[in-house]
């Protein structure tokens, strides 16, 4: 059992508040991702779970043990956690085998067991033939797998990963994403994964926690976060989106400055902001939701990335590749909007300032 | 195919590159004043009368007093090395890695000690642990009702103690720097693997630091072994002669035979220093695990828990005994009329020694000499090092590493050896005669201390993007112009820091000055030493205290100037 309960955790360094009132519960065997722009406090949260930082306030429980509370503190070495650091932190003075064997040797397991377990885990991460190498003879991807093997070898119930893929090249990143997910399923462990990359978050997680400026913005499954972002920050940070000012009156939404209208049957009224994801807009052959003029288009092979002038403002639309040949810049186009979100107009464009 | 005339290209190819001129001039300077003299020294030791003869070696090394000097040198240097590391490593770890109380203060304190002239420690401990009148001895005798003084400073143990107190900061600084460079997540990875802080220290931190610890130890070994000030004050009265004190004795004899004997001993010292230099620049440097941390700059705080207060207390006591009490002793000596009585006794407090150091003609003239030669050494040294650092970091000019190598060797050579080599070659025997002038002093200082400036400038330059200069060149500025308008402006604080790093040790230099001075070119270090040994300890103490205050001020200034990057 290695669920995590975080209750009202806050953390400040001196005057700077890094995390405020963070509460969440991670279930056993869940893959939870902390997602947010750099500097938002993800690493700090992870380090508090690991025991390298102490919360300024709040309680953290791992399994059925309270590890952080005002009067309790369990040091990292007693928490039974595996962790992969962003810089890998593979020890340069030990061989791959010694690196991976370290947690077992600290636990004073007998030689036979150590050898067997290390070989097994090295096999899992496809490093068996490198056991006797020293880390400086390995590539970045291989070092990262050494770090992963070392984190897994003692069979922890909880694995913490701090941007483990950010230093890898694109190809390797794709395959490691898949492998980490496989290993998690196979071993049935709880994983807390930190990243600022929304694709990693979307593809790997059971649940995503979006953080901005130390405050939880939204928690949910990847599709909930993507399809129903609760605010402009989340909508903007996860995926691509067009924002337009609009007003709602009697079931009709008018995009400000364009005169174009969409049907709307929801709770919002008055001045709002609508968000339309570029891939939720389709080209239509006759009059549909919106109308505009094709301002520019870029053929990317798998999609056609267009900008459409809908009456003084541009909207980005990601259309099927076949549309590229059909239309030309300047053509009149009809658009069908399959989905959009409505947010209260908070009066400032906060979401834009936070973007990394 | 039409061939386009390219006259400019042809001219460019033939234009003499000013970089080579500069490298050439610096190399010529170093060859004349460093390489050739040192070579001559070695040759002279083996060919004392023009043909190969080991008779000088036989004579020197069979003479019992020399043998014992060799033995004492090796023993004290080795003991100092071990004791120094024994102090420096735990301190570096406690200060760099744990929640020790007042770690910033301790850091500054130990780093400042590095800039203090070593003989100040000897003066202090002589007062504290003199077997008959040492203040600390008397205090302990009173406290524990002893009939005999518990310590005698004029022994091997005393010598090692004083050497350690003033050379362990060398190891502390070396080890601390290496520890700062180590990625703290390497240690965190060990903690999360289940290791306690102490296990982590033993299995990760220590092994990773080992090359730096060895390098630090070797540095302490060489500096302690080639120190003259401390053994001449502490060792000689107790009949403990070291190689350095013997060499200077031989030179003072003045005869040709004396000079030959000095040379022969100096070769031994040089050999050891060069081996150590070689080992710590090549095999060791290669083994150093460079794991500069990426983003993670958080200090990896080890919580000392319930040991926090006791350990902080022990460190405080250590600092008190090794740094603060000695400094305080020297300062209080400078105000004491009768050294046999406590300062607090009526009429025993005086400012007369302070007045003396600011009024006595001999002292003022020596201070002027020191100021002049130290400033000159620092200024010429910085001109050379700035150019060298630039060529080293910014260009691929052939041979740019030669002066760097020579400067490193020069600074690794014991002071006595440098001075001796200069005496033997620069006194008119070979065209140049600068013996008895300040020039010879300035050159000796430059050879010994230029490296300090070099390191500072090189590390500052490495941090400035070359594109800044390139932008100036694209705008039409020549090499010198862009150097002056862009690079020099940006590295100015480091240049000032480097200047002081050369200036300070030259200002109070003792060893080389002792060999190179003449009646008109006495220096402050020499003046201080003669007052201490022959005339008046109080006057010497006043001088030492004044230097101490100056060191602290300069250090503070450097700290401000470079925003904490260079304070040593
Ligand atoms: N030890 C520390 N002292 C002071 N500020 C810190 C410390 N650690 C982190 N911070 C600050 O806390 C904020 C969040 O940092 P971090 O958790 O590393 O962000 P993330 O991992 O999301 O990029 C940053 O603004 C950082 O500067
Ligand atoms: Mg981070």
């Amino acid at each position: 059992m290695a669920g995590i309960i975080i209750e009202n955790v806050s953390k400040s360094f001196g005057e700077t508040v890094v995390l405020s009132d963070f509460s969440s519960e991670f279930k056993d065997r869940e893959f939870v991702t902390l997602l947010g722009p750099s500097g938002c406090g993800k690493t700090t949260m992870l380090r508090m779970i690991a025991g390298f930082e102490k919360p300024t306030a709040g309680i953290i429980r791992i399994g059925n043990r309270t590890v952080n509370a005002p009067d309790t503190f369990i040091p990292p070495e007693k928490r039974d956690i595996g962790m992969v650091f962003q810089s890998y932190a593979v020890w340069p003075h030990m061989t791959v085998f010694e690196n991976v064997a370290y947690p077992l040797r600290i636990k004073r397991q007998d030689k036979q067991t150590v050898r067997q377990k290390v070989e097994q885990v090295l096999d899992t991460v496809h490093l068996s033939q490198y056991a006797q190498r020293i880390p400086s003879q390995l590539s970045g991807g291989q070092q990262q797998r050494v770090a992963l093997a070392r984190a897994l070898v003692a069979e922890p119930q909880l694995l913490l990963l701090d941007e483990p893929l950010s230093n890898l090249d694109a190809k390797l990143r794709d395959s490691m994403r898949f492998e980490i997910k496989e290993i998690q399923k196979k071993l049935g462990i709880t994983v807390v994964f930190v990243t600022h990359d929304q694709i990693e978050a979307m593809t790997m997680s059971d649940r995503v926690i979006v953080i901005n400026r130390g405050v939880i913005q939204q928690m949910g499954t990847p599709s909930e976060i993507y399809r129903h972002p609760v605010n402009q920050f989340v909508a903007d940070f996860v995926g691509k989106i067009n924002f337009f000012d609009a007003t709602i009156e009697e079931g009709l939404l008018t995009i400000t400055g364009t005169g174009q209208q969409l049907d709307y049957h929801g709770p919002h009224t008055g001045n709002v902001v609508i968000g339309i994801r570029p891939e939720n807009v389709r080209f239509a052959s006759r009059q549909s939701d919106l109308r505009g003029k094709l301002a520019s288009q870029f053929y990317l092979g798998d999609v056609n990335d267009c900008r459409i002038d809908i009456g003084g403002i541009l909207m980005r639309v990601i259309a099927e590749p076949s549309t590229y040949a059909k239309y030309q810049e300047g053509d009149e186009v009809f658009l069908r909007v399959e989905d959009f979100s409505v947010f209260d107009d908070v009066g400032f464009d906060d979401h834009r300032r936070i973007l990394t | 195919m039409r061939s386009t005339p390219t006259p400019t290209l042809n001219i460019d190819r033939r234009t003499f590159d000013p970089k080579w001129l500069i490298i050439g001039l610096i190399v010529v300077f170093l060859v004349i004043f460093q390489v050739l003299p040192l070579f001559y020294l070695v040759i002279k030791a083996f060919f004392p009368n023009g043909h190969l003869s080991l008779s000088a070696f036989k004579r020197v090394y069979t003479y019992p007093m020399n043998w014992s000097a060799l033995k004492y040198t090796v023993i004290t240097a080795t003991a100092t090395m071990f004791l120094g590391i024994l102090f420096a490593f735990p301190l570096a770890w406690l200060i760099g890695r744990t929640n020790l109380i007042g770690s910033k203060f301790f850091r500054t304190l130990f780093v400042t000690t590095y800039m203090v002239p070593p003989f100040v420690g000897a003066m202090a401990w002589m007062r504290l642990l003199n077997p008959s009148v040492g203040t600390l001895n008397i205090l302990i005798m009173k406290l524990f009702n002893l009939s005999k003084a518990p310590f005698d400073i004029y022994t091997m143990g005393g010598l090692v103690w004083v050497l350690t107190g003033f050379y362990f900061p060398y190891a502390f600084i070396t080890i601390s720097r290496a520890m700062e460079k180590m990625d703290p997540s390497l240690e965190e990875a060990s903690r999360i693997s289940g290791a306690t802080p102490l296990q982590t220290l033993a299995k990760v931190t220590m092994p990773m630091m080992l090359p730096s610890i060895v390098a630090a130890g070797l540095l302490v070994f060489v500096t302690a072994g080639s120190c003259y000030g401390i053994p001449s004050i502490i060792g000689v009265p107790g009949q403990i002669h070291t190689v350095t004190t013997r060499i200077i004795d031989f030179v003072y004899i003045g005869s040709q035979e004396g000079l030959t004997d000095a040379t022969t001993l100096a070769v031994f010292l040089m050999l050891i220093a060069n081996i150590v230099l070689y080992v710590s620049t090549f095999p060791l440097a290669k083994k150093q695990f460079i794991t500069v941390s990426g983003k993670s700059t958080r200090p990896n705080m080890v919580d000392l828990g319930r040991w926090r207060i006791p350990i902080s207390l022990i460190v405080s006591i250590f600092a008190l005994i090794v740094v603060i009490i000695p400094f305080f002793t020297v300062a209080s000596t400078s105000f004491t009329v009768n050294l046999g009585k406590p300062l607090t006794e009526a009429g025993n407090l005086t400012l007369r020694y302070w007045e003396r150091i600011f009024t006595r003609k001999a002292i003022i003239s020596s201070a002027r000499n020191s100021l002049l030669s130290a400033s000159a050494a620092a200024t010429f040294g910085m001109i050379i090092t700035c150019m060298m650092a630039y060529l080293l970091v910014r260009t691929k000019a052939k041979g740019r590493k030669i002066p760097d190598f020579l400067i490193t060797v020069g600074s690794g050579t014991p002071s006595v050896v440098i001075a001796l080599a200069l005496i033997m070659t620069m006194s008119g025997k070979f065209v140049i005669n600068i013996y008895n002038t300040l020039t010879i002093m300035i050159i000796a200082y430059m050879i010994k201390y230029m490296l300090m400036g070099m390191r500072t400038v090189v590390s500052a330059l490495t941090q400035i993007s070359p594109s800044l200069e390139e932008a100036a060149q694209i705008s039409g500025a020549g090499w010198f112009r862009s150097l002056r308008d862009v690079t020099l402006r940006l590295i100015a604080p480091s240049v000032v820091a480097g200047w002081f790093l050369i200036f300070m040790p030259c200002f109070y230099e003792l060893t080389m000055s002792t060999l190179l001075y003449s009646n008109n070119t006495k220096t402050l270090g020499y003046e201080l030493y003669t007052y201490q040994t022959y005339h008046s300890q109080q006057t010497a103490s006043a001088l030492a205290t004044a230097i101490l205050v100056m060191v602290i001020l300069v250090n503070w200034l450097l700290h401000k100037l470079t925003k904490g990057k260079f304070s040593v």
Side-chain angles (χ1 to χ4, degrees), chain B residues 18-19 21-23 25-26 379-395 397 400 403 407 454 457-458 461 479-480 483 488 491 495:
Chain B
K19 290 169 204 165
L21 183 68
I22 289 169
I23 295 179
L25 283 177
I26 296 173
T379 307
F380 291 126
M382 282 319 285
I383 292 173
I384 291 183
T385 51
C386 282
M387 290 195 278
M388 270 333 298
Y390 182 87
L391 293 176
L392 197 65
V393 177
R394 282 288 190 268
T395 70
R400 68 189 190 283
I407 289 172
M454 181 95 172
V457 180
V458 166
L461 260 186
W479 182 56
F480 274 116
L483 183 73
L488 264 181
I491 61 168
V495 173

Side-chain angles (χ1 to χ4, degrees), chain A residues 42-43 86 162-163 194, chain B residues 295 298:
Chain A
K42 308 174 299 284
T43 299
Q86 186 170 359
D162 190 357
E163 311 218 12
V194 160
Chain B
K295 279 188 200 165
R298 323 163 201 266

Side-chain angles (χ1 to χ4, degrees), chain B residues 21 65 73 85 97 113 154 189 239 264 305 333 416 485 490:
Chain B
L21 183 68
M65 203 152 154
T73 302
I85 294 293
R97 287 290 198 252
T113 315
Y154 301 117
Q239 296 306 313
T264 316
T333 303
V416 215
D485 289 355
L490 288 171

Side-chain angles (χ1 to χ4, degrees), chain B residues 88 107 110-112 114 168-178 568:
Chain B
R107 199 191 151 70
F110 297 138
V111 165
T112 310
Y114 174 79
F168 89 88
Y170 286 55
F172 174 79
I173 289 168
T174 310
I175 296 173
S176 289
R177 285 215 178 120
V568 187

Side-chain angles (χ1 to χ4, degrees), chain B residues 24-244:
Chain B
L25 283 177
I26 296 173
V27 170
V28 167
F29 172 82
L30 290 171
V31 165
I32 292 179
F33 292 105
Q34 176 187 328
V35 179
L36 290 180
L38 289 179
F39 260 112
Y40 183 74
L41 190 78
V42 176
I43 289 173
K44 204 66 190 161
F46 290 99
F47 300 87
N49 313 309
H51 47 83
L52 180 69
S53 151
L54 294 179
S55 62
F57 269 86
K58 230 189 216 152
R59 182 175 69 238
V60 169
Y61 291 108
T62 48
Y63 188 49
M65 203 152 154
N66 290 342
W67 249 119
S68 72
L70 275 180
K71 206 174 65 191
Y72 288 147
T73 302
V74 172
I75 293 174
T76 50
T78 310
T80 305
M81 169 175 83
F82 282 112
L83 203 57
I85 294 293
L86 210 64
F87 289 156
F89 182 77
L91 283 173
W93 184 74
L94 285 169
I95 289 168
R97 287 290 198 252
T98 72
N99 62 345
L100 185 83
I101 302 168
S103 53
K104 253 199 192 134
F105 168 77
F106 288 126
R107 199 191 151 70
T108 315
L109 190 73
F110 297 138
V111 165
T112 310
T113 315
Y114 174 79
M115 274 246 257
V116 169
F119 47 82
V120 172
M123 292 162 61
W125 285 105
M126 214 181 100
R127 292 268 297 126
L128 287 166
L129 293 184
N130 181 300
S132 48
V133 296
T135 18
L136 203 59
N137 265 336
I138 292 172
L139 187 75
I140 295 173
M141 276 161 74
K142 271 192 196 146
L143 274 181
F144 298 99
N145 228 346
L146 304 176
S147 57
K148 216 170 119 267
F151 298 107
D152 178 1
I153 198 67
Y154 301 117
T155 55
M156 286 276 276
L159 184 55
V160 169
W161 172 248
V162 177
L163 283 170
T164 308
F166 274 74
Y167 288 119
F168 89 88
Y170 286 55
F172 174 79
I173 289 168
T174 310
I175 296 173
S176 289
R177 285 215 178 120
M179 216 180 264
E180 269 163 26
K181 278 195 195 155
M182 193 174 133
D183 182 355
S185 48
L186 290 164
E187 287 157 296
E188 288 171 354
S190 163
R191 293 290 299 281
I192 207 81
S193 303
T196 61
L198 275 184
Q199 280 174 318
T200 302
L201 178 63
K203 297 201 163 144
V204 175
T205 319
M206 278 253 257
M208 293 223 9
M209 300 294 302
L210 198 60
S212 308
I213 294 174
V214 175
L218 289 176
L219 180 67
V220 172
F221 180 82
V222 165
T223 41
S226 49
C227 176
Y228 168 69
I230 294 175
S232 68
I233 295 176
I234 299 284
V236 174
Q239 296 306 313
I240 299 166
H241 294 273
T242 59
V243 172
T244 48

